[in-house]
Amino acid sequence: MDKRMEIPVYLFTGFLESGKTKFIQEMMTDDRFNEGEKTLLLVFEEGEEEYQPKYFASDNVHIEYVEDIADINDEVLEVIAKKHGIQRVIVEYNGMLEVGKFLDVMPSNWVLAQVLMIADSNTFFNFNANMRQLTFDKMQCSEAVIFNRFDNSKDKMEFHKIVRTAGRKIDILYEYKDGHVEPDNIPDPLPYDLNTPIVEIKDEDYAEFYRDICEEGEKYDGKILSFKGIVAVDDTLPKNTIVLGRHIMTCCEADIFYGAFVCEYKQVIALKKRDWVKITAKVKFRKHEVYEGVGPVFEAMSIEKTVKPEQELATF
């Protein structure tokens, strides 16, 4: 176990000219956030706007510029941290890099405290259309997405829908040109009713269902659900146990995964890999070796072979 002092990391993502530098500059001039902690400001991207340290609330901020992430690793960052005796890290990240590349080189005692995405509301749709995977990567890693340079000519729902493809728990904020900020209050009802005796998950709702049960599993415990899925079998699974789910595309064809669950059944039915079945089952959250811990186990009340849906790939 790493017994060194944990160093909180505040990571700001977003594309070039999105307003990251301005946001961090204003934050560092605020006494409420900058109380004198020895801070490393790690800058991966230099835009037109430059930092003005003379306006920072404290002179304990040390700026280091990184031209290429290949030039750094955990040892290099530890040397920098030791040189300045830092107590926290603020990162202005390069918009053309996936967030995981930075997480891979963070020292083990650096701990993410907050991840925010800053987006220019005037260019966001263009980036989302042409760099969808990078946009999705930033959204899904963020606690909040802040759309700046906003005005009343823009439809919040269009921004809301794109962010919600990455997660239902991501906060969305709109910063207007006059500086005031409004939270996104658009409701996100599920496309199915969890209070019905048997919750029917339609083919087109599987991706949303999968994400929601992974994020808020406690509300599904004890519920009876019915859905279609494709079977995966393995000789290492216990008897009368399968893995059942759908292939889900989160943002693009390069980002497809098999979103599935453990299913147990008592019926006499011969199932093989890639069979399509419809299952009605009670969900129980309990330990299972497949999850290497606690996860949703679907205890089948009925399971029958069926035809594959018109669209095999589940999407948001």
Side-chain angles (χ1 to χ4, degrees):
M1 181 179 294
D2 194 335
K3 295 183 179 180
R4 294 173 297 172
M5 179 185 72
E6 288 188 348
I7 296 176
V9 177
Y10 299 84
L11 179 62
F12 296 87
T13 72
F15 293 104
L16 187 66
E17 309 304 333
S18 63
K20 299 190 298 293
T21 302
K22 182 175 183 291
F23 187 94
I24 295 172
Q25 174 76 32
E26 292 177 351
M27 182 178 70
M28 297 307 296
T29 61
D30 191 334
D31 292 334
R32 293 170 297 179
F33 185 79
N34 195 351
E35 298 179 343
E37 302 96 328
K38 292 182 179 179
T39 301
L40 171 63
L41 176 51
L42 202 58
V43 182
F44 283 80
E45 186 174 65
E46 292 186 70
E48 292 183 0
E49 190 160 347
E50 297 182 356
Y51 284 104
Q52 302 292 326
K54 64 182 179 180
Y55 296 117
F56 289 171
S58 167
D59 59 3
N60 280 339
V61 181
H62 305 278
I63 304 177
E64 295 276 353
Y65 291 91
V66 180
E67 293 185 4
D68 189 341
I69 197 168
D71 295 334
I72 66 169
N73 53 42
D74 57 343
E75 293 180 356
V76 171
L77 293 176
E78 285 177 353
V79 169
I80 294 173
K82 186 175 181 180
K83 179 176 70 173
H84 298 300
I86 64 166
Q87 297 170 292
R88 66 176 179 177
V89 178
I90 296 171
V91 181
E92 179 181 344
Y93 200 53
N94 189 314
M96 300 308 293
L97 296 175
E98 293 183 349
V99 175
K101 290 184 179 294
F102 176 71
L103 303 184
D104 288 342
V105 298
M106 278 203 332
S108 58
N109 65 318
W110 288 23
V111 180
L112 281 180
Q114 191 172 46
V115 183
L116 297 179
M117 177 180 178
I118 312 298
D120 183 345
S121 62
N122 298 303
T123 59
F124 176 72
F125 294 129
N126 185 49
F127 279 116
N128 185 62
N130 296 293
M131 299 181 184
R132 174 61 179 161
Q133 189 167 357
L134 282 170
T135 305
F136 186 89
D137 173 71
K138 291 168 180 53
M139 292 190 298
Q140 72 172 347
C141 296
S142 300
E143 295 174 32
V145 177
I146 302 171
F147 291 108
N148 58 25
R149 302 159 189 161
F150 207 79
D151 60 64
N152 289 324
S153 69
K154 299 179 176 68
D155 183 0
K156 289 181 180 178
M157 179 59 79
E158 296 305 310
F159 293 87
H160 177 97
K161 288 190 294 186
I162 292 174
V163 176
R164 283 293 169 262
T165 64
R168 293 173 63 89
K169 290 187 174 182
I170 303 170
D171 289 330
I172 306 172
L173 300 169
Y174 304 97
E175 182 179 357
Y176 286 76
K177 294 176 182 179
D178 63 4
H180 86 275
V181 178
E182 291 181 1
D184 182 291
N185 295 316
I186 299 173
D188 291 300
L190 290 169
Y192 45 84
D193 185 357
L194 279 176
N195 294 317
T196 56
I198 299 178
V199 183
E200 291 279 350
I201 308 298
K202 297 178 181 178
D203 293 332
E204 61 267 28
D205 296 331
Y206 185 85
E208 182 75 11
F209 155 66
Y210 180 83
R211 181 177 63 195
D212 195 60
I213 194 173
C214 290
E215 292 182 351
E216 301 183 35
E218 64 279 355
K219 69 188 183 188
Y220 289 85
D221 195 27
K223 300 288 186 180
I224 297 175
L225 289 89
S226 180
F227 65 91
K228 284 183 183 179
I230 189 171
V231 172
V233 293
D234 192 304
D235 292 339
T236 63
L237 292 173
K239 184 180 179 181
N240 289 357
T241 301
I242 59 171
V243 174
L244 184 65
R246 299 278 299 273
H247 289 94
I248 301 173
M249 182 171 69
T250 53
C251 70
C252 57
E253 291 185 359
D255 206 5
I256 296 173
F257 69 99
Y258 181 52
F261 309 100
V262 173
C263 298
E264 298 177 343
Y265 61 100
K266 298 179 181 179
Q267 300 91 328
V268 179
I269 180 171
L271 296 174
K272 61 182 185 297
K273 185 178 180 179
R274 299 199 65 81
D275 277 345
W276 279 92
V277 301
K278 182 169 185 179
I279 188 172
T280 299
K282 177 174 284 190
V283 184
K284 291 287 188 179
F285 273 75
R286 55 184 172 85
K287 287 186 177 179
H288 197 283
E289 60 192 66
V290 171
Y291 296 123
E292 298 181 350
V294 175
V297 177
F298 285 70
E299 300 173 350
M301 302 165 65
S302 69
I303 185 168
E304 56 187 19
K305 292 183 180 181
T306 188
V307 296
K308 64 182 180 182
E310 291 184 10
Q311 182 177 322
E312 292 188 52
L313 192 62
T315 59
F316 291 97

